[in-house]
Amino acid sequence: MQQISLPSTPRQRNRRTRFRLSAALAGILFTVPACSYGTETDSPTGFTSPPSCDDADRSLRSALRDYVPKLFQENRHLRTESSNFSGYSRSVRCELVLENPVPRTADVPAAGPLSRTIVINLDVSPPLSISTTMKPNRPDPWVTSTTPLPGVGEEALSWSGQQRPGYDEGGATARVGTLRIDVTLSGMDWSGGEAVPVWESRYLKPDLRSGAESLVTALAADLPRNLPRTTLTWPLPTPSTTSPPIEEPPMTVWDPCTIPDSSITAAGLDPASKKIGGYSLFDGKKACQWHKDDFDFSISAGSNRFLYAFFYPGFHTTFRPIGIGGRVGLSLPKESYSEHSCNLAFDAPQGEQAGAPVGVVEMVVSSWSDRNYSRDELCGKLFGIAGPLISQLPPGR
């Protein structure tokens, strides 16, 4: 019997066309693993494990020193924050924080970098995308602009954006074979005057972006040279070793109530007036206070990062560096009730969290008496008390 072919409708023809295209794409994605570095007859080769954070750190020493020379410290290194190894993807996340949140002298710092946080993601996976357009490793709403970065790997671009309103970010991403390198920078700049440092500005955003470009360029040039290329098979074999994330040891916050009575007396206070505790918003706070005449003096300590404790937007608007006893603290008037108190804030690292030194100490003189002290008068009292006590504080960085 002769088979009769019925005419196809337009919908049926479109459906068959879509099916053939889907089958063709599936064949491309699942029969061509990663990138080939030889001829068509060679087995495809590439990287099967990402570099370690130690490898990335060695590749970045010179670039970091050039990017932020005033923040760079030889003893600060990239640390492993997380790692993820599966049969089809292997990634390592590295982080480094470089900062000087308190000036070295009692002069107001010039405009420029105060802090930089560098986050690097190193990922090895089959490049399944059929597009040659690289995208930032950030959600689309966070990215405001992108620019191609020619000559860096096989695909590269840089970008600017904000993870949340008021906090600038800059980044760059590049691919070399099966290795993808993502660099994200955030930070804070001195304002150049007595206004508190800023998390966003027309100067900070391009600086973060150009810094990310220099770092991804250094990584893309150096890391692949030291990575072995092997024949690619998916899923990947189980790695022999991995770099575990760094575990931070528990932190003990300094207790100001341990200041000897002799130092309290030398500061002009009565040790018998000591009261354990006091008002403070610090994490893990420990506080102590003394009373004299018609004012109170308190010291509190906590496990906060200095930037988040004192430069949080809206809480303080100005600052003034004060040199006392060979050390510099910041006096920051509060937005509310500033006439009733004067403070001195000290950077006093006592541990690390998320790769950043943490630990702060704050001295405060306050008065709500009918005497109606001016803030300048209260600051005069505070600076006189603070001098004999400076040597008792945890050291700065």
Side-chain angles (χ1 to χ4, degrees), residues 49-73:
S49 290
S52 69
C53 292
D54 288 341
D55 295 333
D57 185 81
R58 286 189 289 270
S59 299
L60 285 183
R61 291 281 96 184
S62 178
L64 283 171
R65 191 182 294 107
D66 292 341
Y67 171 49
V68 280
K70 292 184 178 180
L71 298 182
F72 181 79
Q73 301 171 52

Side-chain angles (χ1 to χ4, degrees), residues 228-309:
R229 286 185 170 92
T230 59
T231 301
L232 295 176
T233 57
W234 308 99
L236 296 168
T238 303
S240 57
T241 60
T242 60
S243 299
I246 292 178
E247 293 186 5
E248 292 157 345
M251 174 179 165
T252 300
V253 175
W254 172 72
D255 186 355
C257 290
T258 60
I259 296 176
D261 288 347
S262 58
S263 297
I264 296 298
T265 301
L269 300 172
D270 181 5
S273 68
K274 180 170 75 173
K275 180 180 178 182
I276 298 174
Y279 176 77
S280 174
L281 296 176
F282 295 154
D283 297 333
K285 71 168 184 176
K286 291 184 179 178
C288 212
Q289 57 184 321
W290 294 261
H291 180 78
K292 181 178 181 180
D293 300 332
D294 49 4
F295 67 89
D296 293 308
F297 170 75
S298 65
I299 306 181
S300 54
S303 59
N304 302 71
R305 190 175 166 188
F306 192 94
L307 307 187
Y308 299 147

Side-chain angles (χ1 to χ4, degrees), residues 174-257:
R175 183 177 66 82
V176 182
T178 52
L179 173 65
R180 174 165 174 155
I181 305 167
D182 289 294
V183 178
T184 302
L185 266 62
S186 58
M188 174 173 267
D189 275 1
W190 296 108
S191 64
E194 292 189 353
V196 294
V198 295
W199 296 93
E200 68 170 336
S201 75
R202 62 191 180 98
Y203 303 106
L204 177 58
K205 185 173 292 185
D207 181 81
L208 297 174
R209 184 171 186 161
S210 65
E213 290 175 352
S214 67
L215 299 187
V216 81
T217 299
L219 291 171
D222 190 62
L223 287 178
R225 293 186 300 188
N226 300 312
L227 281 182
R229 286 185 170 92
T230 59
T231 301
L232 295 176
T233 57
W234 308 99
L236 296 168
T238 303
S240 57
T241 60
T242 60
S243 299
I246 292 178
E247 293 186 5
E248 292 157 345
M251 174 179 165
T252 300
V253 175
W254 172 72
D255 186 355
C257 290

